[in-house]
């Protein structure tokens, strides 16, 4: 048989799926894959039921229902003073993952270069390469994951088509600040490129820090694509409703990719997310307060057990170095070890690098009920004799 596509064939099954399967097999407490163990607000679940009953349950408009597109535009204005025309600048997608794929397909021409930070969400590199891009990786270093400005500048060239930025960032929990984003914006202007901004954790930021969308910076309105996710904002990760905001000429191109990928997104879910964005602001802004308390609890407990915990300013992920506990193997071995022997599953951070290097960090997902986190910590305490 002729070989199929070699780029996709070269990637394995995503680490999230692998670790969750392993967790199920060993019936562990799963702090690997990122998903909350409590659903979002009841009012939006009720709206899904209502919308399904009322119908129509037929193809909604390709760009998304007007209620949701207006709600996304109003949300952008409310939080970031972002003025956009919902009709020409907002599109609904099947999750942020589809928004990323459609944006990449819309922009990349074979031979273009794309700049991406490592570690990274695992769909970026496969999709960029499949679209024909040469990926230029710029590595952030633990524990502070600071922007390596010289390396970043060196990664740009006349062939650079886009940079993909994830802030707040998975898995590092870093929030890019105004100075860092201004530096990046300067490079985008200098090299006449675009930015795909994965901002799915925009509402999950701690310690009073505010999210700053790159698209609001000078000169970025025509160059940045801002992507959000109802899965993250409303703790409904199975719904796969995303949304993007971009200048009209970019939006219409991305819409062409979207029309051939999925064409549209379930209308009952869209109505529910519109309701949520407009009416459940207290719910999604309180979520960060609850998560911050969980972060503090987890950080203290892991430190007591003997992990070296990295700073965590956002998202629901915390990274920790296990070497002080005396485990000599790599992070994949460590994750397998604690899954099988301690009954707790965590994620090897090396799996979120395109070219593995950092091999001593594991990621804990802490959007779980307190008793679940306590249960996992008890198992780890017993296992490590803490
Ligand atoms: N981007 C990042 C950084 C993520 O961590 C995730 C994981 N949920 C996504 C995008 C995907 O979001 P969605 O489920 O809306 O496709
Ligand atoms: N974004 C989630 C994480 O980082 C998982 C997404 C997925 O399973 N594809 O864990």
């Amino acid at each position: 048989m002729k070989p199929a596509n070699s780029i996709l064939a070269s990637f394995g099954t995503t680490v999230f799926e692998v670790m969750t399967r392993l967790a199920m097999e060993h019936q562990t407490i799963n702090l690997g894959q990122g998903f909350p163990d409590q659903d979002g607000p009841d009012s939006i679940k009720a709206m899904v039921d209502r919308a399904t009953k009322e119908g129509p349950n037929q193809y909604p408009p390709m760009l998304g229902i007007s209620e949701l597109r207006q709600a996304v535009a109003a949300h952008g204005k409310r939080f970031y003073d972002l003025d956009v025309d919902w009709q020409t600048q907002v599109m609904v997608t099947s999750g942020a993952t589809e928004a990323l794929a459609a944006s990449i397909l819309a922009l990349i021409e074979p031979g273009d270069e794309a700049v991406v930070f490592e570690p990274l969400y695992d769909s970026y590199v496969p999709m960029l390469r499949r679209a024909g891009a040469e990926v230029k990786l710029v590595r952030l270093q633990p524990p502070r994951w600071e922007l390596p400005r010289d390396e970043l500048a060196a990664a740009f060239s006349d062939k650079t088509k886009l940079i993909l930025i994830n802030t707040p960032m998975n898995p590092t929990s870093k929030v890019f600040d105004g100075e860092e984003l201004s530096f990046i914006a300067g490079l985008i202007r200098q090299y006449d490129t675009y930015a795909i901004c994965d901002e799915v954790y925009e509402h999950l930021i701690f310690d009073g820090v505010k999210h700053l969308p790159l698209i609001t910076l000078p000169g970025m309105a025509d160059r940045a694509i801002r992507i959000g996710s109802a899965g993250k904002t409303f703790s409904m990760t199975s719904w796969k409703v995303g949304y993007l905001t971009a200048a009209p000429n970019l939006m219409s191109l991305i819409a062409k990719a979207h029309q051939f990928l999925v064409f549209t997104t379930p209308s009952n879910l869209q109505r529910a997310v519109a309701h949520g964005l407009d009416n459940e602001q207290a719910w999604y802004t309180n979520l960060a307060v609850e998560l911050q308390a969980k972060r503090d609890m987890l950080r203290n407990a892991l430190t007591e057990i003997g992990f070296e915990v990295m700073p965590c300013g956002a998202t629901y992920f915390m990274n920790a170095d296990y070497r002080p506990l005396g485990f000599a193997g790599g992070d994949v071995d460590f994750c397998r070890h604690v899954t099988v022997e301690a009954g707790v599953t965590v994620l090897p951070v090396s799996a979120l690098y395109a070219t593995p290097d950092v091999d001593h960090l594991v990621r804990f997902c802490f959007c779980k009920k307190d008793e679940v986190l306590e249960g996992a910590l008890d198992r780890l305490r017993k296992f490590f004799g803490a």
Side-chain angles (χ1 to χ4, degrees):
M1 295 243 277
K2 279 188 186 154
N5 180 262
S6 60
I7 294 175
L8 290 183
S10 70
F11 292 99
T13 303
T14 160
V15 65
F16 306 119
E17 178 76 13
V18 171
M19 294 315 291
T20 289
R21 270 193 228 157
L22 197 68
M24 285 159 89
E25 188 186 323
H26 293 274
Q27 300 192 337
T28 66
I29 299 177
N30 185 3
L31 305 185
Q33 189 179 25
F35 61 89
D37 62 358
Q38 281 173 296
D39 285 351
D42 288 341
S43 78
I44 71 171
K45 284 185 168 180
M47 185 53 97
V48 177
D49 289 348
R50 199 179 122 191
T52 311
K53 279 199 195 97
E54 281 177 6
N57 289 282
Q58 308 303 333
Y59 292 131
M62 181 178 98
L63 300 178
I65 63 168
S66 50
E67 277 154 272
L68 179 51
R69 295 166 69 208
Q70 285 172 29
V72 170
H75 166 274
K77 176 72 184 167
R78 209 155 61 238
F79 282 90
Y80 313 117
D81 202 21
L82 192 55
D83 278 308
V84 295
D85 168 24
W86 68 269
Q87 308 223 44
T88 56
Q89 296 187 255
V90 177
M91 183 172 86
V92 179
T93 59
S94 290
T97 307
E98 196 244 323
L100 287 159
S103 304
I104 289 168
L105 290 174
L107 288 174
I108 292 292
E109 203 86 82
D112 285 344
E113 292 179 2
V115 178
V116 187
F117 295 108
E118 266 190 315
L120 36 70
Y121 180 54
D122 73 340
S123 82
Y124 299 166
V125 169
M127 291 311 296
L128 284 165
R129 291 213 174 120
R130 188 63 188 89
E134 189 185 326
V135 177
K136 299 285 173 191
L137 297 162
V138 176
R139 190 164 281 185
L140 305 183
Q141 298 291 350
R144 306 215 72 83
W145 313 103
E146 278 148 354
L147 187 69
R149 293 178 186 223
D150 293 345
E151 262 178 67
L152 179 63
F156 274 75
S157 79
D158 291 340
K159 289 166 91 181
T160 308
K161 178 62 75 67
L162 63 88
I163 177 169
L164 204 166
I165 304 160
N166 174 211
T167 182
M169 186 178 178
N170 176 12
T172 63
S173 312
K174 172 190 172 73
V175 183
F176 285 73
D177 67 25
E179 279 182 17
E180 290 173 321
L181 290 174
S182 296
F183 182 78
I184 295 170
L187 291 170
I188 292 169
R189 284 191 298 266
Q190 186 184 338
Y191 287 92
D192 184 20
T193 66
Y194 299 97
I196 299 179
C197 304
D198 179 345
E199 302 181 5
V200 301
Y201 299 104
E202 63 187 315
H203 289 297
L204 307 184
I205 305 193
F206 313 135
D207 310 314
V209 174
K210 292 270 176 283
H211 173 61
L212 180 62
L214 183 85
I215 198 170
T216 60
L217 267 57
M220 291 300 106
D222 291 336
R223 297 180 179 277
I225 300 159
R226 179 177 127 71
I227 295 174
S229 166
K232 302 291 177 240
T233 296
F234 295 110
S235 293
M236 297 291 199
T237 59
S238 82
W239 284 16
K240 300 298 288 187
V241 177
Y243 18 84
L244 61 79
T245 304
N249 58 333
L250 281 176
M251 227 283 293
S252 63
L253 263 181
I254 301 166
K256 290 188 186 162
H258 170 72
Q259 74 182 348
F260 298 129
L261 278 169
V262 296
F263 178 65
T264 192
T265 300
S267 49
N268 53 350
L269 300 179
Q270 292 196 48
R271 272 186 68 189
V273 171
H275 177 85
L277 283 176
D278 286 340
N279 299 291
E280 290 287 357
Q281 185 170 317
W283 190 94
Y284 58 82
T285 44
N286 275 340
L287 182 59
V289 177
E290 283 170 33
L291 284 171
Q292 182 172 324
K294 291 182 194 293
R295 174 205 60 178
D296 292 345
M297 188 269 263
L298 185 67
R299 180 179 53 200
N300 295 342
L302 290 178
T303 307
E304 268 168 38
I305 291 169
F307 286 91
E308 188 188 333
V309 178
M310 309 288 119
C312 169
T315 76
Y316 31 57
F317 304 120
M318 178 180 289
N319 299 297
D321 186 345
Y322 54 78
R323 288 176 301 182
L325 292 164
F327 188 86
D331 60 357
V332 173
D333 290 340
F334 181 85
C335 290
R336 202 164 269 283
H337 181 63
V338 290
T339 294
V340 177
E341 307 295 337
V344 177
T345 299
V346 289
L347 206 89
V349 174
S350 68
L352 302 176
Y353 283 77
T355 48
D357 171 47
V358 172
D359 192 21
H360 54 270
L361 292 182
V362 290
R363 193 192 78 177
F364 290 79
C365 172
F366 57 83
C367 50
K368 309 289 179 188
K369 292 189 196 96
D370 286 347
E371 58 269 30
V372 172
L373 291 176
E374 283 297 352
L377 289 165
D378 275 349
R379 289 181 183 193
L380 291 174
R381 276 187 202 104
K382 274 199 199 88
F383 186 66
F384 290 109

